[in-house]
Amino acid sequence: MNRQTPMELLERVVARMPDPASREQAALLEAELAATHGATHAVAVSSGTAALHTALVACDIGEGDEVLLPALAVIMTVAAVVQARARPVFVDAGPDGEPLDLADAASKITPRTRALLPVHLGGRSGDLGAVAELAASAGLDLIEDACQAHGSRYCGRHVGTIGRAGCFSLKDGKLISSGEGGYLLTDDPDLASRAAAFQTHWQIPAAGQPALSRLGTNYRLAEPLAALARVSLAGFDERLARRRHAANRLVDLVGDVPGLAPIPVAAAAQPNGYSALWRILLPQPRQLCRRLAEVGVINSVGTFDLRAAHLHPACRPLHPAPCPRAEHAADSLLAVPVPHDDTRLTQIATLIKSEVLAW
């Protein structure tokens, strides 16, 4: 797209309103997102959670089905599975802190298991090739939660394009943002058509399913937000390069601090720099994360209370089995989202060093 300011695009959108049938900006955004990620289809929706829910429904996953996902997943991922009326089955972390223990995942596959849903927290995909092999060998749909992973790659491919569908958020703070929103990617034209129908109350037909033949919902992305997302997408490559540089710079600025170990990147993976990641090797690491949040260092555990599913209050009705390695991985994780403005990096690094040394 030609680079346009947010105001120019918004003025164009507002000039057409009210126009309840307009999808000009959403359609343009979908084409641009697909091209950017090297996917065949993109479907824009109202949030990352909506993208996950839509992808599950478009894969015909619903009541009575089981979905394998990491015990160390954000609660929004769990919510999407429950909204699809499927049952989340939580998989423990690997012995070395990998997001998914593939042996544990394989042991939890039953005749009701329909999908494997890895979550790329902090922009890290882990060994996505091995995850894809497990899904393929078991006949499961691979649906990627890439809501924090815009621009991350595995073996040269954009994450979110490895599985049958990949889901992204456009919430403020993401590398492509419109304040709120989301999208899914797929190379499957039938899945794309079902996703497009579901997100607009099935008012349009899908492959083999006429319009209004099923119940859908309103997950449409509003035209002003689609316009803002297009502006953000136009500067994506530059922002991605800055974010990767800033994440590496933050780790370098923190340096060698006793009790804090940078988490290495998985082989063949190229993360987007969404978060700088360390393993905390000190006593009471969750309390340390909370202390860092109190002094202004936003982090996944201390600020957003990331924890293993079996310890999350909202997951209690699901009766999740304990996943001890995921519990340890969460408790010892320092994940600091990297600001777009790298002028704050020195301040954040100084706070991390001083609080860790004092701890």
Side-chain angles (χ1 to χ4, degrees), residues 239-263:
R239 194 177 307 108
L240 175 61
R242 286 205 318 268
R243 191 71 170 257
R244 282 181 171 143
H245 172 78
N248 292 330
R249 177 67 175 152
L250 180 55
V251 173
D252 290 342
L253 286 170
V254 171
D256 294 327
V257 180
L260 205 60
I263 297 176

Side-chain angles (χ1 to χ4, degrees), residues 3-81:
R3 186 69 66 93
Q4 293 178 280
T5 68
M7 188 56 67
E8 288 171 337
L9 268 181
L10 284 174
E11 286 176 350
R12 177 175 175 175
V13 172
V14 170
R16 295 176 61 111
M17 297 174 73
D19 185 357
S22 176
R23 287 197 78 254
E24 177 192 59
Q25 294 300 318
L28 289 169
L29 173 64
E30 289 169 344
E32 291 159 4
L33 286 168
T36 296
H37 292 285
T40 306
H41 305 279
V43 179
V45 293
S46 56
S47 71
T49 309
L52 287 161
H53 184 198
T54 300
L56 289 161
V57 171
C59 288
D60 289 325
I61 294 169
E63 191 166 3
D65 296 328
E66 295 176 348
V67 176
L68 298 174
L69 69 162
L72 187 53
V74 292
I75 199 63
M76 292 73 82
T77 314
V78 181
V81 176

Side-chain angles (χ1 to χ4, degrees), residues 198-277:
F198 179 72
Q199 57 95 37
T200 186
H201 292 292
W202 223 276
Q203 293 186 88
I204 60 175
Q209 297 174 330
L212 302 176
S213 61
R214 291 182 58 179
L215 290 174
T217 190
N218 176 14
Y219 279 160
R220 294 184 295 268
L221 182 64
E223 281 287 273
L225 296 181
L228 290 175
R230 293 186 65 220
V231 174
S232 178
L233 182 59
F236 174 54
D237 289 340
E238 177 184 350
R239 194 177 307 108
L240 175 61
R242 286 205 318 268
R243 191 71 170 257
R244 282 181 171 143
H245 172 78
N248 292 330
R249 177 67 175 152
L250 180 55
V251 173
D252 290 342
L253 286 170
V254 171
D256 294 327
V257 180
L260 205 60
I263 297 176
V265 176
Q270 185 182 11
N272 62 357
Y274 182 84
S275 292
L277 302 176

Side-chain angles (χ1 to χ4, degrees), residues 164-208:
R164 191 176 180 199
C167 302
F168 296 79
S169 169
L170 292 170
K171 191 179 187 301
D172 191 23
K174 300 299 192 290
L175 272 74
I176 306 171
S177 173
S178 57
E180 190 57 274
Y183 59 96
L184 65 87
L185 302 174
T186 184
D187 291 332
D188 183 334
D190 291 345
L191 189 154
S193 71
R194 289 192 295 271
F198 179 72
Q199 57 95 37
T200 186
H201 292 292
W202 223 276
Q203 293 186 88
I204 60 175

